[in-house]
Structure formats: structure tokens, C-alpha cells
Amino acid sequence: MKKLVLVLSLAILSISCKSQSETATFVNKPSNLHDQPKLVVGIVVDQMRYDYLTRFYNKYSEGGFKLLMNEGFNCKNNHYNYTPTYTGPGHASIYTGTTPKYHGIIANYWYDKEIKKTVYCAGDDTVSSVGTDEDSGKMSPHRMQTTSFADENRLFTQMRGKTIGISMKDRGAILPAGHTANAAYWFQGEDEGNWITSSFYRDDLPSWVTSFNASDASESYLKTWNTLYDITTYTESGPDLNTFEGGFKGKETATFPYDLKALSKANKGFDILKATAYGNDLTTDFAIAAIDGEQLGQDEFTDVLALSYSSTDYVGHNFGVNSKEVEDTYIRLDKDIERLIQALDAKVGKGKYTLFLTSDHGAVEVPAYLQSVNIPAGLVDNKARKESLNAFMTKTFGASDLIESMSNNQIFLNREKIALLNLDLEAVQKRIVNEVITYPNIDKAYTATAMGSTSFSRGIEELVQNGFSQKRSGDVLIVDGPGYLSYGKTGSSHGSGLNYDTHVPLLFYGKGIAKGSTLQKTRIVDIAPTISALLGISFPSGAIGIPLEIVLSE
Ligand code: ZN
Ligand code: ZN
Ligand code: ZN
């Protein structure tokens, strides 16, 4: 009987193929017939050093980081292949599979040579805020020059596969979600405590976002922040009371517990949540609401959820790599990851989605702490550098206004003025390199001309070149000495091409992913091509990475 039905249906199929256009048979079916994950979840943990996986390993539960490490694929030697290692460029590179050289996000803020003003990587004055009256919604990915894998998935599925971006930081949601996202949502703190978006995506908030905002989710986290476990068991970090931490306004010491409700008044209201472990809890609540609200992973077209946890970065900046606050934030984030995976298993189905977890950069230990244990480190004095350089320019070229901007370790020259004075641009760049290399804690310096005319294939030169956009970057590029950076006296920061900033986790888990680990070097730009290969879709337009075959199961 079964055979007869099959023969009959084949006969009908062949007749219908002849009588109708061939494509009609496949309407509403994805054109790739192999078995796709229903959902790709990308998780970026902002400012996560690789060693946070290993340092806090014994404190993690079985269902969070450990599950990804032990049941998924762990790329243990994964690095950024460019500088500067900042949030905007990091998020863009993870999803586009390329570096600032091609995607154009050269920093969070940079001096725009054309309009001669500082611009923000996700800022867009042509769109308006949705969900707030503040300007914090005037954002879009328009400065990112290439596509993300989420964009390619949208094109491939004829816009049937959805993309949603979520992060407390606008740039953490917007750049990964790409140009064609259905929406990206970020957090408006102050006295609002709401998730917002921009008219770039939609004209109003969907009802699931409105009801999430109307719930008391944000308020519920304005409570006391204490360590999850007894603080005396936190043996993987330094003493809670020390001189290397910032802390909150209105509290004398940077020590647990923190009464966030009371402290919120002096610390920009709901914005205080960003710099606590609870910001990640709130982000997880919202992400799970998005899976329901957007019905992610419910049909045959692959959806993309681009999720970025920002609080780890704020806590790191405030308290530093070695703090109890960072340790507690990771112990609690581990619980969030576990909760998210459980929600995905329940709502999308175990084995039906693919997840990866990485970071947008690492972080250096607080320089003052490194100094206290005799490791070379310190703060650079940008003001002094600027003054010395201006004096040099006046003395050498007879003009004090040849430097337009000194930002992100780049020197932007006034090219009109240089032409007017009949100076040779490259010669001026070279003179500056020879001058600034004598300044304290400037380890290396390069001219833009060298970056644009030589191809570097290794070392810091390659990293600088990969971060260099001929169109957008400055005339002279500076590299600070190891352990040196421009930052406040307390807390950690990032931006260099050294291992503490470039070495970040890369974990894959779920559908199509092999179980295992590697110490072979992988690069952040390999992530997007790997996901593209898994989905069988085009690589993002500027992708330079290669698919990590070892990660993919057959
Ligand atoms: Zn970041
Ligand atoms: Zn502390
Ligand atoms: Zn940061």
C-alpha cells in the first residue's frame, strides 16, 4: 500500500512539475534542503578574558560555561587579530568576519576626517528614538561598511529568517544584528529603566517589549548586591578592600554588599544596574522574553539572536580584573547562561539550535596592581604627549595647528594646512614618528603611508594594519608599551594588541557542532565564516576569516 501511494504521488509530482513552473512546487520551503539549525544564538560577553573560563571554573555550575566547554567545542587559543580591541570594533568583527580595515568600525568614537568632528560608531542623527524621549535611540549600523552573517542569513532566506539584537549597550546590539535586522534593543537607564530601539528598525515597540518594560523587571534588581556564595570562598580574586577599585558614588569603599536602591540616586538611577551583576540577569530576562515574543526558532527558517552581556565590561572597568566584584559577576553570569540554555532547550528544542560564546576583547589587570607586584605597567599621559607634540610641530614646521586630533592612539593631521604650507605629507608623518617614539611609554609608531603601502603578515604590525582604515584612520599610529594604557587610576581597561586584550573565549555548542577542543590558534574573524558554512549561506561581504572545520561535525 505504501509503495502504491509513493508511486502515485511521484506520478502526480511529475505531472505537476510539467504543468506548473518548477519553483511553485517549492513555495514556502527553504531552498537549502539540508537540516538547518532553527536558531543561531551568538553570545558576546563584554570584556571576557579567556582565563575567566579557567580561573573561576570550579565555581561554575554544570549547566552554564562548563556545559559549553565540555559538551561543545572549545577554541582555547582564540585571539583578536587587530588593534584597537574596543567594544564597537569587537562586536562588528565577530559578526562580519573581518577587521576594522574592511568593516570600518575603527573605534567606539573616532575623529571623522571629512566632517572634522568626533563621531560615535552607532550614532545616526537621521533616525529617531523609539521607546524614550532621550536621544539614546538615535542609532543605527550605518557606519559599518560590510555585512554580518545575520545579514547574509536574511538575504538567503528572503528575509524569512529573523534577526534580533539585544544588549544593554546600543553598539553591542546594533553592530552584530547588522543592516537588515528586524530589531535591536538596548537599555535606557537614568529614571526610565526601559528597553528601547530606533526608527531605523521600527516605528514603535512591539507589545512584548512594552509589556516587559511595564513589568517591574528593572526595579526588581534595584536591591542589595552581595556575593552569591560566602565571600570567603572567593579564593580566585584579591581582597575586596584594596586601592585598585573605583566603586560607586555615595559609598566610601568598593566592598560588598552594595545597596543599589540607595546608591542609584547618586549613580544615574537605573544606570547603576549596568555596573552590577544584575545587569546580566536583566538582559537574560529580556532575551528569554524575546525568544517568546518573536517566536525565535519556531519555523524552518533559521533565526539569529545576537545577545551581548555588557555588565561584565562595566564591572571590569569599575573594579578591575582581580576584584571580588568581577568574580561574583562571572559566577552569576554562569547561572544566566544556564538559564538561557534551559529556555532554549524548552522553547526551541535541544539539538535544534547552535550557540557560540565569545568576547569583544579582554582586559589588562589594573596597572597599579601590576606595579605592586613588579610587573611593568602604568598609565600614559595623553595631555603631556599632546603638549610635547604641539611644541615639536611649531618648532619644526612653524605651525601650531597641524594636528587636528589625537585620539585612539592616532594622530590626525590637517591635510589642507600641510598642502598650503607645501609640506610633503609622508615626510611630516615620518618626522612625527621619529619624535613620538622618544616619548615615555610609546613603544612603537607607524605612518599611515606605511600602513597603506606595505603588507604586514605578522606581529603587532599586522594587528595595527588590520585595524587601520585608509579612509578613516589617522596619519600616525601609536602603540603603547606592554601594560601601559590611557585610563583612570582604578579599574581595568583594554585596547591593545597584547594577549591580555586579544585572548578571549570561543565556545561553540549545539546543532552541527563537534565535541572537543583545540589549542590551535583561531581568530575572531573565523567565527562568522564558520557560522556561514554551517548554514550554507554566503560569507559576509568583507569576511577574511576561514571556517573552522574542526568545530563542525559532519
Ligand atoms: Zn567591550
Ligand atoms: Zn571590592
Ligand atoms: Zn570596556
Side-chain angles (χ1 to χ4, degrees), residues 46-47 85-87 108 169 171 310 312-314 316-317 360-362 487 492-494:
D46 206 311
Q47 197 187 119
T85 40
Y86 295 150
T87 299
N108 293 331
K169 289 185 185 177
R171 58 187 179 277
S310 308
T312 38
D313 184 63
Y314 289 107
H317 280 295
D360 57 344
H361 49 75
Y487 197 61
S492 295
S493 197
H494 48 86

Side-chain angles (χ1 to χ4, degrees), residues 244 364-378 482-484 500:
F244 312 122
V364 69
E365 297 261 13
V366 180
Y369 169 65
L370 291 176
Q371 285 172 348
S372 77
V373 291
N374 294 331
I375 292 174
Y484 280 83
Y500 49 73

Side-chain angles (χ1 to χ4, degrees), residues 261-322:
K261 179 91 187 162
L263 289 169
S264 67
K265 291 168 193 81
N267 293 275
K268 289 200 192 161
F270 285 104
D271 277 322
I272 196 170
L273 291 179
K274 294 180 182 172
T276 72
Y278 296 147
N280 294 330
D281 295 348
L282 179 63
T283 305
T284 307
D285 297 343
F286 188 70
I288 292 170
I291 297 167
D292 285 330
E294 299 288 342
Q295 290 289 294
L296 297 178
Q298 297 305 315
D299 60 25
E300 67 267 47
F301 304 103
T302 305
D303 298 323
V304 176
L305 173 60
L307 179 59
S308 173
Y309 285 107
S310 308
S311 291
T312 38
D313 184 63
Y314 289 107
V315 174
H317 280 295
N318 195 351
F319 300 97
V321 166
N322 204 42

Side-chain angles (χ1 to χ4, degrees), residues 19-58:
S19 59
Q20 293 173 15
S21 77
E22 278 197 46
T23 50
T25 324
F26 299 106
V27 160
N28 288 330
K29 286 270 178 223
S31 52
N32 55 325
L33 290 170
H34 68 270
D35 197 15
Q36 300 282 44
K38 289 181 174 297
L39 177 64
V40 173
V41 183
I43 301 176
V44 181
V45 181
D46 206 311
Q47 197 187 119
M48 184 171 183
R49 291 162 54 110
Y50 171 76
D51 66 358
Y52 289 166
L53 283 180
T54 48
R55 207 172 115 203
F56 306 135
Y57 187 85
N58 292 329

